[in-house]
Amino acid sequence: NNPFAKEGQKVTFDPAQVYDFKLEETKDEKILLKKLQKSIEKGEKASIDVEVTNTDRAFATILGAEITRHHKDGLPDDTITINCNGAGGQSFAAFVPKGLTLTLCGDCNDYMGKGLSGGKIVLYPPKERNYKADENIITGNVALYGATSGTAYICGVAGERFAVRNSGAYAVVEGVGEHGCEYMTGGRVVVLGKTGKNFAAGMSGGIAYVLDEHNDLYTRLNKSLISIEELTNKYDVQELKELIQEHVALTNSIKGKEILDNFGEYLPKFKKVVPYDYHHMLTTIVQMEEKGYNVEQAQINLRSEE
């Protein structure tokens, strides 16, 4: 069924041409599964410490698949915790499911948390650093690409295309490169710093809370689908504050601490970036709830109206 084969041409399988990914040499197979297999099968809490390097690609993805194999809906949050030190390789924590938490003291390559599926990622720099975390990149491009659920707390700046096609994950980061939240359809992203150009391009769902200290975010936004608002709704304010509090608790972020200690001062500097259609949907649901509908009924009624 090769679409590139000519009519009548046969395509045969040649075992000699099979590429060996050498999965048995990965830290997932050599360390994680060996130490955590029984805990996964029983759904028991467990944690281990691991040194990682930038050649450890897709670290914890095989382990995550094993969790899903035994528990199709994942495990309770933080059941399995892996404390890493060093440099995360490409696709670190890709596709990890609910119940798996990865902390990384160091930095990370591209595609961190790609397809995040309920797990938790905590990334922070070493204490002995001689630089400001919120002014330096700590993870590469396309982090959280296609994430569907879960959380990520990043004490530092992410590269380009952060949270592209995110459909449900919640994340806090201290700055992003160009094209942040591109094509995002759900979830929440808090940016405690600068964004690159073309932020929120094609964004059709979810919400981004961005710290706009110099009041110039509008110059870097792609305004075709989104609106930019002040944070006046008490629920937005509460959600923002709780996410920053969790970020500080997990990463010991200096920037996050400063914001919380002076929250009344910083709050007016935050902007809410929300797609027009998503905003309309949320507003309509609230109106229906005020009429006595519960959330589920309101959503059903909204879909029927559409």
Side-chain angles (χ1 to χ4, degrees), residues 137-279:
I137 290 180
I138 194 171
T139 189
N141 298 329
V142 210
L144 301 184
Y145 174 84
T148 61
S149 57
T151 53
Y153 300 93
I154 302 163
C155 185
V157 180
E160 297 181 3
R161 290 193 156 85
F162 181 80
V164 170
R165 296 193 183 281
N166 172 33
S167 62
Y170 281 50
V172 181
V173 65
E174 302 189 354
V176 297
E178 297 178 357
H179 316 294
C181 298
E182 188 177 36
Y183 303 122
M184 185 165 139
T185 62
R188 299 288 186 275
V189 170
V190 177
V191 184
L192 305 179
K194 296 179 181 178
T195 72
K197 67 183 181 183
N198 204 35
F199 187 82
M203 181 179 174
S204 60
I207 295 172
Y209 301 113
V210 183
L211 180 60
D212 186 18
E213 291 192 82
H214 303 291
N215 201 31
D216 58 358
L217 174 62
Y218 71 96
T219 65
R220 296 185 299 278
L221 281 176
N222 186 310
K223 306 177 188 67
S224 59
L225 296 177
I226 57 90
S227 66
I228 179 171
E229 308 170 358
E230 305 289 337
L231 266 74
T232 55
N233 184 297
K234 65 179 182 180
Y235 299 109
D236 290 336
V237 174
Q238 180 181 348
E239 181 173 60
L240 171 65
K241 191 171 186 178
E242 288 177 352
L243 285 168
I244 299 174
Q245 286 172 334
E246 187 72 3
H247 177 65
V248 170
L250 293 172
T251 70
N252 203 31
S253 165
I254 293 175
K255 181 70 172 182
K257 283 181 180 178
E258 180 186 337
I259 292 170
L260 291 177
D261 290 343
N262 304 278
F263 194 70
E265 231 177 89
Y266 273 96
L267 183 58
K269 300 177 183 179
F270 275 94
K271 299 295 192 305
K272 177 182 177 181
V273 179
V274 57
Y276 295 120
D277 289 345
Y278 190 72
H279 185 278

